[in-house]
């Protein structure tokens, strides 16, 4: 099995560890060494059977470089860490084995896709994207690098999300909507109301 370290020891990091376990049930692929996190209060703790090894510098000091995955929702922080580690480590893509995905989908390096998600056809998912559980991503949609799409979101056809978009839990985006880089989407009915206004030209 291949060594891997999860960057981020929060909830998403622990969920990434679970996805790795689920992948290993189908194909024993990953040897999870543990987590790294810049929060010193976490160092040495054991989380769901895996140790927090230290911070990013601990990772950089390792002689044998493991594969890594950045497991967090904060778009700017993801980009900062990736740029710091780029060239020193190889980033992996984690897709839960239950995800329904067509052969006409492009998924970028470092992306995490949770169970219950459906991706249909001709969609492009960027690098280091987080797609939480029970999301629907429609045809011909483009999701920019470092974006995070939280639980229960639905994107329709021909939607375009720029780099670093944060789409809050339960958001639904109508067909043909473009969201610029770094747009902080509102959640629930607010985002739906704003999109309806865009569609009718308000």
């Amino acid at each position: 099995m291949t060594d891997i370290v999860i960057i981020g020891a929060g909830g998403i990091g622990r969920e990434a560890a679970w996805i790795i376990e689920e992948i290993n049930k189908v194909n024993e692929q990953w040897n999870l060494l543990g987590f790294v996190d810049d929060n010193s209060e976490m160092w040495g703790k054991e989380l769901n059977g895996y140790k927090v090894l230290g911070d990013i510098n601990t990772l950089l000091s390792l002689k044998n470089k493991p594969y890594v995955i950045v497991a967090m929702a904060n778009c700017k922080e993801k980009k900062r860490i990736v740029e710091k580690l780029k060239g020193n480590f190889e980033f992996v893509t984690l897709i839960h084995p239950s995800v329904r995905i067509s052969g006409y989908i492009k998924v970028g390096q470092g992306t995490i896709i949770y169970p219950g998600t459906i991706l249909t056809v001709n969609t492009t998912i960027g690098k280091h994207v987080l797609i939480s559980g029970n999301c629907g991503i429609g045809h011909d949609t483009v999701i920019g690098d470092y974006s995070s799409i939280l639980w229960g979101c639905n994107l329709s056809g021909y939607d375009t999300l720029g780099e670093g978009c944060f789409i809050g839990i339960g958001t639904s985006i109508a067909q043909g909507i473009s969201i610029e880089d770094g747009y902080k989407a509102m959640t629930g009915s607010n985002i739906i109301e704003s999109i309806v206004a865009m569609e009718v030209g308000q």
Side-chain angles (χ1 to χ4, degrees):
M1 293 196 293
T2 304
D3 290 344
I4 185 171
V5 170
I6 296 171
I7 301 170
I12 293 171
R14 285 178 276 122
E15 289 170 342
W18 170 67
I19 291 173
I20 289 170
E21 292 172 349
E22 293 289 291
I23 291 170
N24 282 342
K25 288 177 183 177
V26 177
N27 176 24
E28 290 191 7
Q29 184 176 357
W30 300 112
N31 175 38
L32 179 53
L33 300 179
F35 305 91
V36 296
D37 197 292
D38 285 341
N39 180 1
S40 60
E41 294 182 1
M42 301 294 293
W43 300 350
K45 288 187 177 181
E46 187 174 289
L47 303 174
N48 297 351
Y50 305 102
K51 200 167 186 179
V52 181
L53 306 171
D55 61 3
I56 293 292
N57 291 323
T58 302
L59 187 62
L60 288 165
S61 70
L62 294 175
K63 183 177 180 181
N64 297 318
K65 304 297 185 186
Y67 285 76
V68 295
I69 184 75
V70 182
M72 54 188 65
N74 186 307
C75 306
K76 289 182 179 179
E77 187 66 7
K78 278 194 286 188
K79 185 173 183 178
R80 182 190 71 81
I81 291 170
V82 168
E83 290 181 343
K84 184 173 183 177
L85 298 180
K86 196 162 48 178
N88 293 303
F89 294 88
E90 186 167 346
F91 299 95
V92 303
T93 300
L94 296 179
I95 302 176
H96 191 277
S98 69
V99 171
R100 297 173 65 185
I101 182 169
S102 86
Y104 300 97
I105 300 287
K106 295 179 181 177
V107 179
Q109 187 181 45
T111 285
I112 304 173
I113 303 179
Y114 283 44
T117 292
I118 300 174
L119 298 98
T120 59
V121 294
N122 305 109
T123 289
T124 300
I125 312 296
K127 298 178 181 179
H128 308 286
V129 171
L130 173 71
I131 303 179
S132 295
N134 298 328
C135 291
I137 311 297
H139 63 84
D140 300 285
T141 285
V142 177
I143 299 174
D145 297 347
Y146 307 108
S147 293
S148 292
I149 300 173
L150 302 190
W151 289 82
C153 291
N154 290 292
L155 278 65
S156 192
Y158 298 106
D159 290 329
T160 301
L161 274 60
E163 180 180 303
C165 289
F166 186 95
I167 308 300
I169 187 168
T171 299
S172 294
I173 299 179
Q175 183 168 335
I177 297 296
S178 294
I179 299 176
E180 64 185 18
D181 292 355
Y183 181 85
K184 300 298 182 183
M186 295 173 285
T187 57
S189 61
N190 286 334
I191 187 69
I192 297 169
E193 288 169 1
S194 68
I195 288 170
V196 168
M198 291 166 65
E199 287 188 312
V200 299
Q202 295 182 0

